[in-house]
């Protein structure tokens, strides 16, 4: 298991991981908070793949064609035919540094590839309108590759003992990805074009079973307001809905093998772009991870390069 003290080890350790997703949204990994000694850095690399999908969950938890969740014009929905699919690949690098005994800093740098394939068109015999043409045009096929939005995190250890520790902090996401004019609330872009902040509280506790760790996390995310166009070309003030994330995870690490699962519930408020966008709702998901490395050996001796590789699978 990851012990509470790593004095005497090298100043770096590495945890690459691979996540395979069945959910059409930015990839996640098990939310962990690790105690990092002062002056020690931790580097993680994460590869996440979201296979192509043409359906997603609506605000009631039902699967709907993707384009019906993006296009809000009820009249147009009855006049359009075809399919819209999306897929994405994410490579994310995370660097964390122990500033002192209580504070850690973390930087995340995402590299993304997003593909949108559209076969949408008006049904034969339907008389077109300029706003409908704009909506279909703004959902055309395209492939985007580049850097996504940068994330900066500061965490403070609020209390600790031999069997638990609590960390609270702030995550700031800046719209530093590839600049592009976003259309609608589900725009196809490498950047969300929004400054967002997450305040989190994370509790880790270690039961009296060697290698076993539990974690619970509560986070609330809010966004700065901005200007954005709808799919039809009308511009207005855009206010993404705030969200609440609740995580519980369990992990077991023994003889260099790592096993973990996490339960996650997301509560999403409705976004506002000229009018409500009906993207409020909730979602439950399960994430499982399996890993191997040499971190268990830290309990016996210092290591020049502690490392671990993980494979994850996310189920909505």
């Amino acid at each position: 298991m990851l012990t509470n003290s790593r004095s005497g080890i090298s100043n770096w350790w590495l945890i690459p991981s691979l996540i395979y997703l069945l959910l059409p949204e930015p990839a996640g990994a098990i939310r962990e908070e690790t105690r990092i000694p002062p002056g020690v850095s931790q580097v993680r690399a994460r590869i996440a793949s979201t296979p192509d999908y043409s359906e997603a969950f609506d605000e009631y938890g039902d699967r709907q064609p993707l384009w019906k969740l993006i296009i809000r014009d009820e009249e147009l929905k009855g006049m359009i035919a075809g399919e819209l699919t999306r897929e994405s690949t994410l490579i994310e690098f995370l660097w964390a540094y122990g500033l002192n005994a209580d504070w850690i800093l973390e930087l995340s740098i995402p590299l993304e590839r997003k593909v949108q394939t559209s076969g949408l068109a008006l049904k034969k015999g339907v008389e077109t309108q300029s706003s409908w043409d704009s909506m279909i045009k703004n959902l055309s096929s395209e492939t985007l590759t580049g850097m996504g939005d940068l994330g900066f995190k500061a965490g403070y250890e609020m209390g600790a003992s031999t069997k638990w520790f609590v960390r609270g902090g702030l995550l700031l996401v800046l719209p530093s990805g590839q600049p592009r004019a976003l259309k609608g609330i589900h725009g196809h872009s490498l950047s969300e074009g929004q400054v967002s902040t997450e305040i989190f509280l994370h509790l880790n506790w270690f039961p009296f079973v060697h290698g076993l760790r539990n974690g619970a996390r509560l986070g609330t995310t809010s966004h700065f307001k901005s200007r954005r166009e709808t799919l039809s070309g009308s511009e207005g003030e855009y206010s993404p809905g705030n969200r609440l994330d609740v995580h519980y995870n369990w992990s077991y690490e023994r003889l260099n093998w790592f096993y973990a699962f996490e339960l996650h519930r997301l509560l999403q408020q409705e976004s506002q772009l000229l009018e409500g966008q009906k993207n409020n709702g909730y979602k439950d998901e399960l994430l499982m991870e399996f890993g191997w490395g040499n971190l268990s050996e830290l309990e016996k001796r210092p290591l020049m390069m502690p490392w671990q590789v993980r494979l994850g699978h996310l189920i909505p």
Side-chain angles (χ1 to χ4, degrees), residues 67 70-71 76-77 79-84 116-123 126 128-142 231-233:
W67 65 268
I70 298 175
I71 296 177
L76 176 58
K77 288 182 180 180
M79 305 293 182
I80 204 169
E83 185 178 70
L84 180 73
Q116 177 172 275
T117 304
S118 176
L120 300 179
L122 293 175
K123 295 178 180 179
V126 174
T128 186
Q129 300 181 17
S130 59
S131 61
W132 291 359
D133 290 338
S134 296
M135 292 183 191
I136 295 175
K137 181 180 179 181
N138 285 327
L139 291 175
S140 58
S141 300
E142 60 180 345
L231 286 175
S232 61

PDB file of all heavy atoms in Angstrom, residues 67 70-71 76-77 79-84 116-123 126 128-142 231-233:
ATOM      1  N   TRP A  67     -27.671  13.703 -31.523  1.00  0.00           N
ATOM      2  CA  TRP A  67     -28.043  14.966 -32.145  1.00  0.00           C
ATOM      3  C   TRP A  67     -29.319  15.552 -31.532  1.00  0.00           C
ATOM      4  O   TRP A  67     -29.507  16.775 -31.505  1.00  0.00           O
ATOM      5  CB  TRP A  67     -28.195  14.813 -33.661  1.00  0.00           C
ATOM      6  CG  TRP A  67     -29.305  13.906 -34.130  1.00  0.00           C
ATOM      7  CD1 TRP A  67     -29.214  12.582 -34.404  1.00  0.00           C
ATOM      8  CD2 TRP A  67     -30.663  14.281 -34.390  1.00  0.00           C
ATOM      9  NE1 TRP A  67     -30.436  12.079 -34.822  1.00  0.00           N
ATOM     10  CE2 TRP A  67     -31.341  13.115 -34.821  1.00  0.00           C
ATOM     11  CE3 TRP A  67     -31.377  15.470 -34.304  1.00  0.00           C
ATOM     12  CZ2 TRP A  67     -32.692  13.108 -35.158  1.00  0.00           C
ATOM     13  CZ3 TRP A  67     -32.721  15.482 -34.643  1.00  0.00           C
ATOM     14  CH2 TRP A  67     -33.349  14.300 -35.061  1.00  0.00           C
ATOM     15  N   ILE A  70     -28.321  17.670 -28.626  1.00  0.00           N
ATOM     16  CA  ILE A  70     -27.585  18.881 -28.977  1.00  0.00           C
ATOM     17  C   ILE A  70     -28.500  19.912 -29.630  1.00  0.00           C
ATOM     18  O   ILE A  70     -28.437  21.101 -29.325  1.00  0.00           O
ATOM     19  CB  ILE A  70     -26.414  18.529 -29.917  1.00  0.00           C
ATOM     20  CG1 ILE A  70     -25.431  17.594 -29.191  1.00  0.00           C
ATOM     21  CG2 ILE A  70     -25.700  19.787 -30.397  1.00  0.00           C
ATOM     22  CD1 ILE A  70     -24.302  17.101 -30.076  1.00  0.00           C
ATOM     23  N   ILE A  71     -29.373  19.478 -30.528  1.00  0.00           N
ATOM     24  CA  ILE A  71     -30.330  20.368 -31.198  1.00  0.00           C
ATOM     25  C   ILE A  71     -31.565  20.515 -30.315  1.00  0.00           C
ATOM     26  O   ILE A  71     -32.219  19.533 -29.996  1.00  0.00           O
ATOM     27  CB  ILE A  71     -30.720  19.813 -32.581  1.00  0.00           C
ATOM     28  CG1 ILE A  71     -29.486  19.784 -33.499  1.00  0.00           C
ATOM     29  CG2 ILE A  71     -31.830  20.638 -33.199  1.00  0.00           C
ATOM     30  CD1 ILE A  71     -29.755  19.176 -34.859  1.00  0.00           C
ATOM     31  N   LEU A  76     -37.417  21.267 -35.711  1.00  0.00           N
ATOM     32  CA  LEU A  76     -36.366  20.708 -36.562  1.00  0.00           C
ATOM     33  C   LEU A  76     -36.165  19.227 -36.288  1.00  0.00           C
ATOM     34  O   LEU A  76     -35.835  18.458 -37.207  1.00  0.00           O
ATOM     35  CB  LEU A  76     -35.060  21.472 -36.344  1.00  0.00           C
ATOM     36  CG  LEU A  76     -33.827  20.962 -37.099  1.00  0.00           C
ATOM     37  CD1 LEU A  76     -34.078  20.952 -38.601  1.00  0.00           C
ATOM     38  CD2 LEU A  76     -32.600  21.798 -36.763  1.00  0.00           C
ATOM     39  N   LYS A  77     -36.350  18.801 -35.054  1.00  0.00           N
ATOM     40  CA  LYS A  77     -36.148  17.389 -34.717  1.00  0.00           C
ATOM     41  C   LYS A  77     -37.033  16.470 -35.556  1.00  0.00           C
ATOM     42  O   LYS A  77     -36.660  15.344 -35.857  1.00  0.00           O
ATOM     43  CB  LYS A  77     -36.416  17.151 -33.233  1.00  0.00           C
ATOM     44  CG  LYS A  77     -35.347  17.716 -32.317  1.00  0.00           C
ATOM     45  CD  LYS A  77     -35.654  17.409 -30.858  1.00  0.00           C
ATOM     46  CE  LYS A  77     -34.587  17.967 -29.939  1.00  0.00           C
ATOM     47  NZ  LYS A  77     -34.873  17.664 -28.513  1.00  0.00           N
ATOM     48  N   MET A  79     -37.880  17.130 -38.629  1.00  0.00           N
ATOM     49  CA  MET A  79     -37.577  17.353 -40.036  1.00  0.00           C
ATOM     50  C   MET A  79     -36.207  16.826 -40.451  1.00  0.00           C
ATOM     51  O   MET A  79     -35.832  16.941 -41.616  1.00  0.00           O
ATOM     52  CB  MET A  79     -37.633  18.866 -40.343  1.00  0.00           C
ATOM     53  CG  MET A  79     -38.932  19.534 -39.961  1.00  0.00           C
ATOM     54  SD  MET A  79     -40.313  18.956 -40.986  1.00  0.00           S
ATOM     55  CE  MET A  79     -41.662  19.972 -40.326  1.00  0.00           C
ATOM     56  N   ILE A  80     -35.455  16.287 -39.518  1.00  0.00           N
ATOM     57  CA  ILE A  80     -34.074  15.921 -39.792  1.00  0.00           C
ATOM     58  C   ILE A  80     -33.907  14.413 -39.791  1.00  0.00           C
ATOM     59  O   ILE A  80     -34.654  13.674 -39.129  1.00  0.00           O
ATOM     60  CB  ILE A  80     -33.144  16.575 -38.737  1.00  0.00           C
ATOM     61  CG1 ILE A  80     -31.724  16.732 -39.263  1.00  0.00           C
ATOM     62  CG2 ILE A  80     -33.137  15.782 -37.439  1.00  0.00           C
ATOM     63  CD1 ILE A  80     -30.841  17.589 -38.379  1.00  0.00           C
ATOM     64  N   ALA A  81     -32.938  13.931 -40.566  1.00  0.00           N
ATOM     65  CA  ALA A  81     -32.628  12.499 -40.633  1.00  0.00           C
ATOM     66  C   ALA A  81     -31.110  12.332 -40.598  1.00  0.00           C
ATOM     67  O   ALA A  81     -30.358  13.263 -40.893  1.00  0.00           O
ATOM     68  CB  ALA A  81     -33.207  11.887 -41.909  1.00  0.00           C
ATOM     69  N   GLY A  82     -30.674  11.138 -40.250  1.00  0.00           N
ATOM     70  CA  GLY A  82     -29.236  10.870 -40.220  1.00  0.00           C
ATOM     71  C   GLY A  82     -28.735  10.605 -38.816  1.00  0.00           C
ATOM     72  O   GLY A  82     -29.508  10.469 -37.856  1.00  0.00           O
ATOM     73  N   GLU A  83     -27.418  10.577 -38.673  1.00  0.00           N
ATOM     74  CA  GLU A  83     -26.800  10.230 -37.392  1.00  0.00           C
ATOM     75  C   GLU A  83     -25.580  11.107 -37.149  1.00  0.00           C
ATOM     76  O   GLU A  83     -24.885  11.521 -38.085  1.00  0.00           O
ATOM     77  CB  GLU A  83     -26.389   8.750 -37.404  1.00  0.00           C
ATOM     78  CG  GLU A  83     -25.848   8.231 -36.078  1.00  0.00           C
ATOM     79  CD  GLU A  83     -25.515   6.757 -36.136  1.00  0.00           C
ATOM     80  OE1 GLU A  83     -24.523   6.411 -36.830  1.00  0.00           O
ATOM     81  OE2 GLU A  83     -26.222   5.962 -35.500  1.00  0.00           O
ATOM     82  N   LEU A  84     -25.344  11.405 -35.900  1.00  0.00           N
ATOM     83  CA  LEU A  84     -24.164  12.162 -35.485  1.00  0.00           C
ATOM     84  C   LEU A  84     -23.376  11.314 -34.489  1.00  0.00           C
ATOM     85  O   LEU A  84     -23.939  10.814 -33.508  1.00  0.00           O
ATOM     86  CB  LEU A  84     -24.578  13.482 -34.827  1.00  0.00           C
ATOM     87  CG  LEU A  84     -23.430  14.379 -34.337  1.00  0.00           C
ATOM     88  CD1 LEU A  84     -22.731  15.013 -35.528  1.00  0.00           C
ATOM     89  CD2 LEU A  84     -23.952  15.459 -33.382  1.00  0.00           C
ATOM     90  N   GLN A 116     -15.690  14.212 -34.883  1.00  0.00           N
ATOM     91  CA  GLN A 116     -17.138  14.307 -35.051  1.00  0.00           C
ATOM     92  C   GLN A 116     -17.492  13.923 -36.477  1.00  0.00           C
ATOM     93  O   GLN A 116     -16.944  14.479 -37.427  1.00  0.00           O
ATOM     94  CB  GLN A 116     -17.626  15.719 -34.740  1.00  0.00           C
ATOM     95  CG  GLN A 116     -19.120  15.925 -34.969  1.00  0.00           C
ATOM     96  CD  GLN A 116     -19.587  17.274 -34.473  1.00  0.00           C
ATOM     97  OE1 GLN A 116     -19.909  17.463 -33.317  1.00  0.00           O
ATOM     98  NE2 GLN A 116     -19.625  18.253 -35.380  1.00  0.00           N
ATOM     99  N   THR A 117     -18.406  12.968 -36.627  1.00  0.00           N
ATOM    100  CA  THR A 117     -18.840  12.507 -37.950  1.00  0.00           C
ATOM    101  C   THR A 117     -20.334  12.738 -38.068  1.00  0.00           C
ATOM    102  O   THR A 117     -21.116  12.233 -37.251  1.00  0.00           O
ATOM    103  CB  THR A 117     -18.524  11.014 -38.143  1.00  0.00           C
ATOM    104  OG1 THR A 117     -17.124  10.795 -37.932  1.00  0.00           O
ATOM    105  CG2 THR A 117     -18.891  10.574 -39.554  1.00  0.00           C
ATOM    106  N   SER A 118     -20.731  13.502 -39.066  1.00  0.00           N
ATOM    107  CA  SER A 118     -22.136  13.885 -39.210  1.00  0.00           C
ATOM    108  C   SER A 118     -22.718  13.382 -40.526  1.00  0.00           C
ATOM    109  O   SER A 118     -22.111  13.545 -41.590  1.00  0.00           O
ATOM    110  CB  SER A 118     -22.279  15.411 -39.135  1.00  0.00           C
ATOM    111  OG  SER A 118     -23.622  15.796 -39.370  1.00  0.00           O
ATOM    112  N   GLY A 119     -23.886  12.772 -40.429  1.00  0.00           N
ATOM    113  CA  GLY A 119     -24.673  12.403 -41.605  1.00  0.00           C
ATOM    114  C   GLY A 119     -26.035  13.059 -41.558  1.00  0.00           C
ATOM    115  O   GLY A 119     -26.990  12.574 -42.170  1.00  0.00           O
ATOM    116  N   LEU A 120     -26.126  14.181 -40.833  1.00  0.00           N
ATOM    117  CA  LEU A 120     -27.402  14.865 -40.646  1.00  0.00           C
ATOM    118  C   LEU A 120     -27.790  15.648 -41.893  1.00  0.00           C
ATOM    119  O   LEU A 120     -26.965  16.295 -42.522  1.00  0.00           O
ATOM    120  CB  LEU A 120     -27.321  15.823 -39.450  1.00  0.00           C
ATOM    121  CG  LEU A 120     -26.993  15.203 -38.091  1.00  0.00           C
ATOM    122  CD1 LEU A 120     -26.919  16.286 -37.025  1.00  0.00           C
ATOM    123  CD2 LEU A 120     -28.030  14.146 -37.717  1.00  0.00           C
ATOM    124  N   ALA A 121     -29.072  15.590 -42.225  1.00  0.00           N
ATOM    125  CA  ALA A 121     -29.609  16.331 -43.366  1.00  0.00           C
ATOM    126  C   ALA A 121     -31.118  16.437 -43.199  1.00  0.00           C
ATOM    127  O   ALA A 121     -31.735  15.633 -42.481  1.00  0.00           O
ATOM    128  CB  ALA A 121     -29.271  15.638 -44.680  1.00  0.00           C
ATOM    129  N   LEU A 122     -31.703  17.428 -43.844  1.00  0.00           N
ATOM    130  CA  LEU A 122     -33.157  17.553 -43.816  1.00  0.00           C
ATOM    131  C   LEU A 122     -33.791  16.433 -44.634  1.00  0.00           C
ATOM    132  O   LEU A 122     -33.229  15.972 -45.631  1.00  0.00           O
ATOM    133  CB  LEU A 122     -33.585  18.902 -44.378  1.00  0.00           C
ATOM    134  CG  LEU A 122     -33.195  20.143 -43.561  1.00  0.00           C
ATOM    135  CD1 LEU A 122     -33.595  21.407 -44.309  1.00  0.00           C
ATOM    136  CD2 LEU A 122     -33.847  20.109 -42.189  1.00  0.00           C
ATOM    137  N   LYS A 123     -34.945  15.987 -44.196  1.00  0.00           N
ATOM    138  CA  LYS A 123     -35.663  14.956 -44.932  1.00  0.00           C
ATOM    139  C   LYS A 123     -36.095  15.483 -46.299  1.00  0.00           C
ATOM    140  O   LYS A 123     -36.260  16.689 -46.490  1.00  0.00           O
ATOM    141  CB  LYS A 123     -36.888  14.502 -44.131  1.00  0.00           C
ATOM    142  CG  LYS A 123     -36.556  13.806 -42.819  1.00  0.00           C
ATOM    143  CD  LYS A 123     -37.815  13.419 -42.054  1.00  0.00           C
ATOM    144  CE  LYS A 123     -37.480  12.731 -40.746  1.00  0.00           C
ATOM    145  NZ  LYS A 123     -38.707  12.382 -39.979  1.00  0.00           N
ATOM    146  N   VAL A 126     -38.611  18.623 -47.380  1.00  0.00           N
ATOM    147  CA  VAL A 126     -38.744  19.622 -46.316  1.00  0.00           C
ATOM    148  C   VAL A 126     -38.196  20.958 -46.799  1.00  0.00           C
ATOM    149  O   VAL A 126     -37.081  21.027 -47.304  1.00  0.00           O
ATOM    150  CB  VAL A 126     -38.000  19.166 -45.037  1.00  0.00           C
ATOM    151  CG1 VAL A 126     -38.021  20.284 -43.992  1.00  0.00           C
ATOM    152  CG2 VAL A 126     -38.634  17.902 -44.488  1.00  0.00           C
ATOM    153  N   THR A 128     -36.390  24.277 -46.412  1.00  0.00           N
ATOM    154  CA  THR A 128     -35.337  24.666 -45.479  1.00  0.00           C
ATOM    155  C   THR A 128     -35.557  26.064 -44.928  1.00  0.00           C
ATOM    156  O   THR A 128     -36.306  26.873 -45.478  1.00  0.00           O
ATOM    157  CB  THR A 128     -33.966  24.589 -46.164  1.00  0.00           C
ATOM    158  OG1 THR A 128     -32.949  24.837 -45.181  1.00  0.00           O
ATOM    159  CG2 THR A 128     -33.864  25.644 -47.259  1.00  0.00           C
ATOM    160  N   GLN A 129     -34.883  26.340 -43.808  1.00  0.00           N
ATOM    161  CA  GLN A 129     -34.839  27.656 -43.192  1.00  0.00           C
ATOM    162  C   GLN A 129     -33.381  27.978 -42.898  1.00  0.00           C
ATOM    163  O   GLN A 129     -32.566  27.091 -42.670  1.00  0.00           O
ATOM    164  CB  GLN A 129     -35.654  27.696 -41.892  1.00  0.00           C
ATOM    165  CG  GLN A 129     -37.133  27.377 -42.066  1.00  0.00           C
ATOM    166  CD  GLN A 129     -37.875  27.449 -40.740  1.00  0.00           C
ATOM    167  OE1 GLN A 129     -37.400  28.017 -39.759  1.00  0.00           O
ATOM    168  NE2 GLN A 129     -39.067  26.865 -40.715  1.00  0.00           N
ATOM    169  N   SER A 130     -33.056  29.279 -42.868  1.00  0.00           N
ATOM    170  CA  SER A 130     -31.663  29.664 -42.659  1.00  0.00           C
ATOM    171  C   SER A 130     -31.143  29.200 -41.300  1.00  0.00           C
ATOM    172  O   SER A 130     -29.981  28.777 -41.180  1.00  0.00           O
ATOM    173  CB  SER A 130     -31.520  31.188 -42.777  1.00  0.00           C
ATOM    174  OG  SER A 130     -32.345  31.847 -41.814  1.00  0.00           O
ATOM    175  N   SER A 131     -31.985  29.255 -40.269  1.00  0.00           N
ATOM    176  CA  SER A 131     -31.539  28.825 -38.945  1.00  0.00           C
ATOM    177  C   SER A 131     -31.278  27.322 -38.915  1.00  0.00           C
ATOM    178  O   SER A 131     -30.342  26.857 -38.257  1.00  0.00           O
ATOM    179  CB  SER A 131     -32.575  29.202 -37.881  1.00  0.00           C
ATOM    180  OG  SER A 131     -33.821  28.565 -38.142  1.00  0.00           O
ATOM    181  N   TRP A 132     -32.086  26.554 -39.630  1.00  0.00           N
ATOM    182  CA  TRP A 132     -31.881  25.107 -39.683  1.00  0.00           C
ATOM    183  C   TRP A 132     -30.590  24.784 -40.426  1.00  0.00           C
ATOM    184  O   TRP A 132     -29.838  23.895 -40.013  1.00  0.00           O
ATOM    185  CB  TRP A 132     -33.064  24.435 -40.368  1.00  0.00           C
ATOM    186  CG  TRP A 132     -34.341  24.487 -39.564  1.00  0.00           C
ATOM    187  CD1 TRP A 132     -34.496  25.040 -38.328  1.00  0.00           C
ATOM    188  CD2 TRP A 132     -35.608  23.984 -39.945  1.00  0.00           C
ATOM    189  NE1 TRP A 132     -35.784  24.902 -37.911  1.00  0.00           N
ATOM    190  CE2 TRP A 132     -36.506  24.258 -38.885  1.00  0.00           C
ATOM    191  CE3 TRP A 132     -36.099  23.343 -41.078  1.00  0.00           C
ATOM    192  CZ2 TRP A 132     -37.844  23.899 -38.925  1.00  0.00           C
ATOM    193  CZ3 TRP A 132     -37.431  22.972 -41.127  1.00  0.00           C
ATOM    194  CH2 TRP A 132     -38.302  23.248 -40.054  1.00  0.00           C
ATOM    195  N   ASP A 133     -30.340  25.493 -41.516  1.00  0.00           N
ATOM    196  CA  ASP A 133     -29.091  25.283 -42.262  1.00  0.00           C
ATOM    197  C   ASP A 133     -27.874  25.563 -41.375  1.00  0.00           C
ATOM    198  O   ASP A 133     -26.874  24.852 -41.425  1.00  0.00           O
ATOM    199  CB  ASP A 133     -29.049  26.186 -43.501  1.00  0.00           C
ATOM    200  CG  ASP A 133     -30.041  25.750 -44.564  1.00  0.00           C
ATOM    201  OD1 ASP A 133     -30.434  24.569 -44.549  1.00  0.00           O
ATOM    202  OD2 ASP A 133     -30.424  26.590 -45.403  1.00  0.00           O
ATOM    203  N   SER A 134     -27.974  26.615 -40.551  1.00  0.00           N
ATOM    204  CA  SER A 134     -26.862  26.959 -39.661  1.00  0.00           C
ATOM    205  C   SER A 134     -26.612  25.861 -38.631  1.00  0.00           C
ATOM    206  O   SER A 134     -25.463  25.512 -38.338  1.00  0.00           O
ATOM    207  CB  SER A 134     -27.148  28.284 -38.941  1.00  0.00           C
ATOM    208  OG  SER A 134     -27.230  29.350 -39.858  1.00  0.00           O
ATOM    209  N   MET A 135     -27.689  25.307 -38.077  1.00  0.00           N
ATOM    210  CA  MET A 135     -27.540  24.251 -37.079  1.00  0.00           C
ATOM    211  C   MET A 135     -26.863  23.025 -37.668  1.00  0.00           C
ATOM    212  O   MET A 135     -25.940  22.457 -37.068  1.00  0.00           O
ATOM    213  CB  MET A 135     -28.913  23.866 -36.512  1.00  0.00           C
ATOM    214  CG  MET A 135     -29.553  24.939 -35.667  1.00  0.00           C
ATOM    215  SD  MET A 135     -31.131  24.375 -34.978  1.00  0.00           S
ATOM    216  CE  MET A 135     -31.785  25.916 -34.339  1.00  0.00           C
ATOM    217  N   ILE A 136     -27.302  22.606 -38.841  1.00  0.00           N
ATOM    218  CA  ILE A 136     -26.723  21.417 -39.471  1.00  0.00           C
ATOM    219  C   ILE A 136     -25.270  21.678 -39.870  1.00  0.00           C
ATOM    220  O   ILE A 136     -24.403  20.814 -39.697  1.00  0.00           O
ATOM    221  CB  ILE A 136     -27.572  20.993 -40.688  1.00  0.00           C
ATOM    222  CG1 ILE A 136     -28.964  20.551 -40.228  1.00  0.00           C
ATOM    223  CG2 ILE A 136     -26.892  19.867 -41.460  1.00  0.00           C
ATOM    224  CD1 ILE A 136     -29.920  20.228 -41.350  1.00  0.00           C
ATOM    225  N   LYS A 137     -24.999  22.885 -40.377  1.00  0.00           N
ATOM    226  CA  LYS A 137     -23.634  23.232 -40.769  1.00  0.00           C
ATOM    227  C   LYS A 137     -22.697  23.236 -39.564  1.00  0.00           C
ATOM    228  O   LYS A 137     -21.540  22.794 -39.648  1.00  0.00           O
ATOM    229  CB  LYS A 137     -23.619  24.589 -41.454  1.00  0.00           C
ATOM    230  CG  LYS A 137     -22.232  25.024 -41.924  1.00  0.00           C
ATOM    231  CD  LYS A 137     -22.272  26.382 -42.593  1.00  0.00           C
ATOM    232  CE  LYS A 137     -20.886  26.820 -43.036  1.00  0.00           C
ATOM    233  NZ  LYS A 137     -20.925  28.175 -43.684  1.00  0.00           N
ATOM    234  N   ASN A 138     -23.177  23.734 -38.417  1.00  0.00           N
ATOM    235  CA  ASN A 138     -22.346  23.795 -37.220  1.00  0.00           C
ATOM    236  C   ASN A 138     -22.124  22.429 -36.580  1.00  0.00           C
ATOM    237  O   ASN A 138     -21.373  22.323 -35.602  1.00  0.00           O
ATOM    238  CB  ASN A 138     -22.979  24.744 -36.193  1.00  0.00           C
ATOM    239  CG  ASN A 138     -22.800  26.201 -36.571  1.00  0.00           C
ATOM    240  OD1 ASN A 138     -21.799  26.591 -37.158  1.00  0.00           O
ATOM    241  ND2 ASN A 138     -23.806  27.018 -36.261  1.00  0.00           N
ATOM    242  N   LEU A 139     -22.773  21.403 -37.103  1.00  0.00           N
ATOM    243  CA  LEU A 139     -22.564  20.033 -36.628  1.00  0.00           C
ATOM    244  C   LEU A 139     -21.933  19.172 -37.727  1.00  0.00           C
ATOM    245  O   LEU A 139     -22.132  17.963 -37.767  1.00  0.00           O
ATOM    246  CB  LEU A 139     -23.894  19.411 -36.183  1.00  0.00           C
ATOM    247  CG  LEU A 139     -24.506  20.015 -34.917  1.00  0.00           C
ATOM    248  CD1 LEU A 139     -25.880  19.405 -34.650  1.00  0.00           C
ATOM    249  CD2 LEU A 139     -23.599  19.811 -33.711  1.00  0.00           C
ATOM    250  N   SER A 140     -21.171  19.789 -38.611  1.00  0.00           N
ATOM    251  CA  SER A 140     -20.546  19.054 -39.711  1.00  0.00           C
ATOM    252  C   SER A 140     -19.391  18.194 -39.213  1.00  0.00           C
ATOM    253  O   SER A 140     -18.890  18.357 -38.089  1.00  0.00           O
ATOM    254  CB  SER A 140     -20.047  20.036 -40.775  1.00  0.00           C
ATOM    255  OG  SER A 140     -19.123  20.944 -40.217  1.00  0.00           O
ATOM    256  N   SER A 141     -18.926  17.290 -40.041  1.00  0.00           N
ATOM    257  CA  SER A 141     -17.825  16.384 -39.688  1.00  0.00           C
ATOM    258  C   SER A 141     -16.518  17.163 -39.568  1.00  0.00           C
ATOM    259  O   SER A 141     -16.221  18.035 -40.383  1.00  0.00           O
ATOM    260  CB  SER A 141     -17.675  15.289 -40.745  1.00  0.00           C
ATOM    261  OG  SER A 141     -18.845  14.519 -40.853  1.00  0.00           O
ATOM    262  N   GLU A 142     -15.733  16.838 -38.545  1.00  0.00           N
ATOM    263  CA  GLU A 142     -14.423  17.468 -38.372  1.00  0.00           C
ATOM    264  C   GLU A 142     -13.608  16.687 -37.361  1.00  0.00           C
ATOM    265  O   GLU A 142     -14.143  15.969 -36.514  1.00  0.00           O
ATOM    266  CB  GLU A 142     -14.560  18.929 -37.926  1.00  0.00           C
ATOM    267  CG  GLU A 142     -15.281  19.115 -36.613  1.00  0.00           C
ATOM    268  CD  GLU A 142     -15.395  20.573 -36.219  1.00  0.00           C
ATOM    269  OE1 GLU A 142     -14.684  21.405 -36.809  1.00  0.00           O
ATOM    270  OE2 GLU A 142     -16.197  20.886 -35.325  1.00  0.00           O
ATOM    271  N   LEU A 231     -26.463  27.262 -31.789  1.00  0.00           N
ATOM    272  CA  LEU A 231     -26.232  26.583 -33.066  1.00  0.00           C
ATOM    273  C   LEU A 231     -26.817  27.359 -34.235  1.00  0.00           C
ATOM    274  O   LEU A 231     -26.321  27.280 -35.359  1.00  0.00           O
ATOM    275  CB  LEU A 231     -26.815  25.172 -33.028  1.00  0.00           C
ATOM    276  CG  LEU A 231     -26.060  24.127 -32.210  1.00  0.00           C
ATOM    277  CD1 LEU A 231     -26.838  22.819 -32.184  1.00  0.00           C
ATOM    278  CD2 LEU A 231     -24.662  23.900 -32.771  1.00  0.00           C
ATOM    279  N   SER A 232     -27.877  28.126 -33.977  1.00  0.00           N
ATOM    280  CA  SER A 232     -28.517  28.884 -35.056  1.00  0.00           C
ATOM    281  C   SER A 232     -27.846  30.228 -35.315  1.00  0.00           C
ATOM    282  O   SER A 232     -28.206  30.928 -36.257  1.00  0.00           O
ATOM    283  CB  SER A 232     -29.992  29.109 -34.723  1.00  0.00           C
ATOM    284  OG  SER A 232     -30.127  29.847 -33.520  1.00  0.00           O
ATOM    285  N   GLY A 233     -26.862  30.617 -34.454  1.00  0.00           N
ATOM    286  CA  GLY A 233     -26.120  31.842 -34.696  1.00  0.00           C
ATOM    287  C   GLY A 233     -26.472  33.004 -33.805  1.00  0.00           C
ATOM    288  O   GLY A 233     -25.835  34.065 -33.894  1.00  0.00           O
TER     289      GLY A 233
END
